[in-house]
Every structure is written in C-alpha cells, then in structure tokens.
Amino acid sequence: MTEADSAGRVVSDRILRVDAGVVALIQQHGRDAYPHECCGALIGTGNVVFSGCQLPNTTEEGPRSRFLVRPTDYRAAEGRATELGQELLGFYHSHPDHPARPSQYDLDHAWPVFAYVIIAIEQGEPGAMTSWRLRDDRSMFDEEQITIGTD
Amino acid sequence: MANRVLIPTPLRAYAGGQDVAQAAGNTVGELLEDLTAQYADLRKHLYSDDGQLRRFVNVYLNEDDIRYLQKEDTPVSDGDTISIVPSVAGGVTMVARDA
C-alpha cells in the first residue's frame, strides 16, 4: 500500500458539483503554477461550488511539494463567501507530477467539513481532479465524486 | 466575563453550528479551555495529541496573532474578541526535489 492509499479511500455516495468555469480556473491555475503547487478557495452552497478564488502559495517549505494558505488569505476567502451570501466549501491544490490523491501530509494538516480538491498536473498539463473529505476522527480522507456543472 | 470567539467555517459544526461562541477566561489559554469544555468535539481539531495547539491553528486577540503576544498566556480583557483562523496546508510528500 502506498502512502497515498493509506490517506484516503474511495466512497461514492457523496457528490461535489463544480461549475465548469471553476474547473477551468483550477486547471489553468495548476498549469500556470507548474512545477509549483497552486492553491485556492472554493465558494458555493451545500455541495455546489459556484466560484473559485486563486490564492498565493505562501509555503516556505518548497512550493514544488507544499502549499500554504496563510491566515490573512483564509480570512479574505471566508469574507468573500460571506459577501456573496454563500459558504466557504473548501480548497483546491495541485500535485505537480503526482497523482491526485491525498498524501499523509495532506491528511495531517486537513480541516474537517471542507472539500479538498486535488488536481494532478502532469508535465505541466492538467490531469485527474478528485475531491476528498476528512473523516471526523481524522483517521483518513474519503473520496467524493466530482460532477462538472451546477444543475 | 465572557468574550466573543469567532469560529471558522470548518469548526462550526463542532460548536453548535455557531459562527460566534462565548467563552470565559483571564487568558487566551483559559478561554480556549472553557470553549473546549463547552464543545468537547472541538478539542481534537484545535489541539494535537500532546495538548499543544495544532501548528495550523492561528488564534488572534482582536487583530493580533497571539504568537506575537504572550501566546496562550496572553491576557484577555472585557470586550476583546478572539478569532480562530485556519492556515490551510498540504502537498505531495516528497520534498527532496526542492533541494
């Protein structure tokens, strides 16, 4: 079992609906940031993501394999969601030249409730996109399906 | 004396669904103890197994990060607002490529 496999497993009874424009934004952000990781916020209501917000990757641990959304940007994203009358639903980040599966590092630093969308960027081009939720006991992530479109 | 504590989105489900809670204490640490006594499920998301605040949990007294004050010993006055603000972090595991 790989480390990524130990951090998450597939379940299929939850669906995250993501606006097609948000999917395109995430793909472009991942492409632009490559070979570094990109990150951003997901805003919407319930299980529907209506907008994405690109955020700076402020990690000091090496942006090819880490991302960090600093508290000021977190606050701005939560404030933006409130302005829109919506909710901060989660965050996305890219895995350059790695699978779109959560790492142990992702698990160790995850927050509950949020959707964690991961996009694989393979040699600079967007690949698979997946979404994960931390279990309440913090033991692992469960995968949820992504559906493109908000209808 | 009770102070307002602003709860971030991912922790509201563990704080009675509220975005603002009330907690009492003379210091930030005491106030967080009171908060987690009221809402026990918050504890595992705020503190690591060794009882330390998790690295990516940021606590502000009004607009100031308590790391730059007296950390959890920072005194709290009537009317102060405490904010719990996440940093969000992650990434692939290998770091050697960055060297």
Side-chain angles (χ1 to χ4, degrees), chain A residues 38-67:
Chain A
C38 71
C39 54
L42 303 169
I43 292 171
T45 55
N47 68 333
V48 184
V49 178
F50 291 112
S51 57
C53 179
Q54 296 186 2
L55 297 173
N57 179 357
T58 61
T59 185
E60 296 179 347
E61 298 181 31
R64 286 192 178 202
S65 56
R66 293 283 186 268
F67 80 92

Side-chain angles (χ1 to χ4, degrees), chain B residues 31-67:
Chain B
L31 192 143
L32 292 176
E33 278 296 323
D34 182 49
L35 182 71
T36 53
Q38 296 178 60
Y39 304 106
D41 291 342
L42 273 178
R43 177 165 284 276
K44 64 179 178 292
H45 299 297
L46 294 180
Y47 294 97
S48 55
D49 291 342
D50 61 3
Q52 301 296 308
L53 273 177
R54 290 183 178 276
R55 182 179 168 198
F56 292 102
V57 173
N58 306 283
V59 180
Y60 287 74
L61 176 70
N62 302 316
E63 293 303 315
D64 297 319
D65 188 333
I66 64 165
R67 290 189 184 91

Side-chain angles (χ1 to χ4, degrees), chain A residues 17 59 93 116 151:
Chain A
R17 299 187 185 280
T59 185
H93 71 281
Y116 281 85
D151 295 333

Side-chain angles (χ1 to χ4, degrees), chain A residues 73-138:
Chain A
D73 292 323
Y74 176 91
R75 281 178 136 177
E78 203 165 69
R80 178 66 179 149
T82 301
E83 285 171 10
L84 293 169
Q86 299 178 13
E87 307 159 52
L88 181 58
L89 297 183
F91 288 84
Y92 68 84
H93 71 281
S94 61
H95 278 185
D97 297 323
H98 279 76
R101 298 185 59 82
S103 66
Q104 184 64 42
Y105 191 88
D106 289 327
L107 179 64
D108 291 343
H109 299 87
W111 290 91
V113 177
F114 279 154
Y116 281 85
V117 168
I118 303 175
I119 184 167
I121 304 294
E122 299 155 1
Q123 299 299 312
E125 288 303 314
M129 186 182 294
T130 57
S131 182
W132 306 81
R133 304 261 183 182
L134 180 68
R135 285 191 181 181
D136 190 55
D137 64 3
R138 305 190 63 89

